[in-house]
Each structure stands twice: as C-alpha cells, then as structure tokens.
Amino acid sequence: MASEELSERLVDSINVAYGVHPGHRAAHAKGVLCAATFTPTPEAARLSRATHFAGPDVRAHVRFSNGSGDPGAPDAARDGRGMGVKFYLPDSTTTDIVALSLPAFFARTPEDLLAFNEARRVDPESGELDLAKVGAYLAAHPEAMTAVNAAMTHPIPASYTTLTYHALHSFGFESSDGTVRHGRYHLVPESGEVALDDAAAESKTPDFLRDELVDRLADAPAVFAIRVQLAGEGDSIDDPTETWPEDREAVDLGRLVVTGLAFDRERDGDVLVFDPTRVVEGIRLTEDPILHARSGAYGVSVSRRTAAESHG
Ligand code: HEM
C-alpha cells in the first residue's frame, strides 16, 4: 500500500472508533498545553551529543491528553493518556518526545494496527463489539495483549502529573565519540503515581484533569524525570509491543519542570504537532514500522483538522 493511502486509512480507522470531530486531533483530541523547562543531567551529555542534553536549560511545551479522539469524552473515562514534549533548541529548531501511559503499543506494524482496529469495530446498530473477531485477532497476535490488558485496567489518574508515560519506541543515542546505545524514554512523575478509586472517579466533573492541573500548578510546578532505559542483550529495538526487563540500566537525562498552562501556541492559525521522528543530531531513528507510520498519519490528522478550522 502506498504510504499516503496507508496514512489516510490509519486516520479513517481511528475516526471509526471515535467519530469525526472537525477541528480536533483524530486521536488525543482533548488535552491541556503547558509551559515547561528542561534541565539536563551531566549523564545526558555523556549518552548523546544532542544539544538539549548539553545544557543550559531549554524551554519546552508539554501537552497532556486523553487518548480518545472525542473531545467531549469525560476525563474519568478509562483511557490511555498522552504526554507530548516539545523542546525549543537554541538554533530555533525543535525536537519532540511523544509518550503514552501504556507500557507497550497494540501492534508491531501499521498493517496490523489497521487489522486490529477493524476487528474491534463496533456494530453500528447494536453498539456491540464482535467478540469472536477480537478473539481471533488476539489469538493470531498475542503481542497485542500487553497493551490490551493495560488499556482495559488503566487507572483513572488523580492528575495528568501522577502517571508515568512511556515513549515506547527505541532511539539510538549517539555520544560525541560516535558510540550508539539504544534506549527508550520514560517520563516519571516526582509526585509518584496516584490513581482514583471507582467512587472518587464517579464523582469527578468532565474536565477535572484540566481543573486539577490549573490548581496544582498555581501552588507549585510539577516535575518529571526524563529517563532512558537502555536495551540489553536480545531486546528488540524496533518492536513497540515488546516490553523489556525492568532491571535494564537506566540513565536519568534530566528534569522537566511543568510550570503552568500555556496559551502561546495553537492560536491565530498556529499548528502544533508532536512528532517522534523529529529528532536532532545525536539521536537516531530505528526501523520500527510503527514509528515511521506515525508522521504520515499525524500529517493527515493535521491537514484535516486545519482544513476544518479554516472553514470556520
Ligand atoms: C501507527 C500508530 C499510530 C497512529 C496511526 C497514531 C495516530 C495518532 C493521530 C492521528 C494523532 C493526532 C495527531 C495530530 O492531529 O496532531 C495522534 C496523537 C498522539 N499520539 Fe499517536 N498514533 C500512533 C502511535 C502512537 C504511539 C506508539 C504513541 C506513544 C508512544 C502515540 C502517542 C500519541 C500522543 C501522545 C498523541 C497526542 C499528541 C499531542 O498532544 O498533540 N501514538 N496519534
């Protein structure tokens, strides 16, 4: 399949699940944009020669989101959450980390993802899943189970800042002497992980995650450690469905301090998109087919949402 067609079909298949909501992202439609500052550790500069790891501090934006493509979905819905980070580098370029609160992704390839989305398409008449189809897909693709189980049991977070987020793809970190080590980013909240029980979640207002963030950041910044888990012997670096053993060496790259809500983007026609393939010198992409399918799909989502905006 030509890559443009694949990108369109990926977004179409997301639209089937969540509906079409003009002017909004096809996935992660509801989110909150925040201002942040990143301070690297000395270890970051040893791992990679990327400029934001060399210091001094750089400005960043963080967008926290719910995974759903429905911008009206209530915040207490069971859903994976997203955290996009955009670093503004001294040479006026940007680089992004785009992470989910799930420990693994649903598919190894975009073709598998299309087949999975097709299998879990609900019947428009009854609103029901075809459990036989879902079962057949999962039996043929056991690698999807980690993400499926995590999505089904996902905690309702007390705050966007009390979840750990995982970028899932591996990247090659190239040091100044040319050594390349592969690893995966994790964004770990300093405040720890805090979830709501069912009763507390039921009592929450539809936009409580945004309101909570406003209140929290009025008192103090929220801090995440940006950590890289390095691949060990035998770990796949191009399969985002595979988790690695927890005991893999981890390197703390620095602190991301989220200071308040940001209103300086996504206004007056400005388009904000987080794209994990937007990397800088010192960070390399792998061959991971899901990673490479994302830019095209995000581009389709952007052109559809901006076309909708320009038509009012
Ligand atoms: C082929 C697989 C995937 C497809 C087709 C896909 C599709 C999309 C689309 C269409 C958007 C909206 C883009 C926009 O309008 O700006 C989006 C946003 C997002 N995706 Fe994915 N995605 C995929 C894989 C992933 C993975 C593996 C992760 C995490 C590791 C992820 C995390 C996110 C996040 C956090 C956002 C919201 C970014 C923001 O706040 O602007 N996605 N995705």
Side-chain angles (χ1 to χ4, degrees):
M1 195 186 307
S3 66
E4 295 81 33
E5 190 193 339
L6 180 65
S7 305
E8 298 277 349
R9 284 189 52 189
L10 284 166
V11 176
D12 289 343
S13 79
I14 297 171
N15 284 166
V16 168
Y18 299 124
V20 176
H21 302 278
H24 293 277
R25 286 162 171 78
H28 298 263
K30 188 176 184 184
V32 189
L33 187 66
C34 295
T37 304
F38 174 66
T39 307
T41 58
E43 290 75 35
R46 281 197 283 277
L47 182 69
S48 160
R49 58 193 179 80
T51 48
H52 54 312
F53 297 157
D57 295 2
V58 295
R59 189 169 72 82
H61 272 133
V62 172
R63 185 173 180 271
F64 295 107
S65 58
N66 300 338
S68 171
D70 177 357
D75 286 350
R78 198 169 301 286
D79 195 3
R81 316 287 156 161
M83 182 173 172
V85 186
K86 185 175 291 290
F87 301 90
Y88 295 86
L89 306 180
D91 65 358
S92 303
T93 59
T94 58
T95 183
D96 302 343
I97 296 177
V98 197
L100 285 177
S101 56
L102 298 174
F105 197 58
F106 298 93
R108 279 190 190 126
T109 66
E111 292 78 11
D112 283 356
L113 187 61
L114 283 175
F116 178 53
N117 288 345
E118 186 54 40
R120 62 178 170 162
R121 185 190 275 251
V122 295
D123 184 294
E125 305 268 287
S126 65
E128 300 286 325
L129 277 175
D130 183 336
L131 291 178
K133 266 195 192 168
V134 177
Y137 179 88
L138 293 176
H141 294 275
E143 74 278 7
M145 284 312 297
T146 308
V148 168
N149 283 331
M152 281 177 7
T153 56
H154 196 286
I156 310 302
S159 168
Y160 280 128
T161 66
T162 58
L163 275 174
T164 300
Y165 299 83
H166 314 276
L168 303 183
H169 305 293
S170 306
F171 295 87
F173 295 91
E174 186 182 354
S175 69
S176 46
D177 69 7
T179 309
V180 177
R181 299 194 70 183
H182 283 90
R184 289 175 169 172
Y185 295 108
H186 302 275
L187 306 166
V188 184
E190 257 185 18
S191 54
E193 295 187 10
V194 186
L196 299 177
D197 61 28
D198 288 352
E202 268 171 33
S203 71
K204 291 293 181 186
T205 54
D207 299 328
F208 83 92
L209 285 176
R210 182 190 185 93
D211 299 340
E212 192 278 342
L213 206 52
V214 171
D215 291 347
R216 174 184 293 259
L217 298 178
D219 281 347
V223 182
F224 285 81
I226 302 189
R227 197 163 288 160
V228 161
Q229 186 191 22
L230 294 171
E233 194 68 32
D235 294 341
S236 168
I237 56 163
D238 51 16
D239 179 358
T241 66
E242 187 190 293
T243 54
W244 295 345
E246 296 232 335
D247 64 0
R248 294 295 183 241
E249 181 185 349
V251 179
D252 264 320
L253 296 185
R255 293 173 91 230
L256 185 67
V257 180
V258 182
T259 49
L261 266 57
F263 303 95
D264 54 339
R265 299 245 13 212
E266 299 205 301
R267 48 184 286 187
D268 307 327
D270 172 51
V271 177
L272 179 64
V273 54
F274 295 86
D275 180 344
T277 64
R278 191 182 283 127
V279 292
V280 287
E281 288 281 305
I283 301 177
R284 295 190 188 177
L285 304 180
T286 67
E287 297 293 311
D288 180 341
I290 289 289
L291 173 65
H292 291 280
R294 289 177 64 185
S295 296
Y298 290 28
V300 169
S301 173
V302 166
S303 47
R304 292 186 190 177
R305 65 180 159 94
T306 54
E309 274 157 22
S310 63
H311 293 293

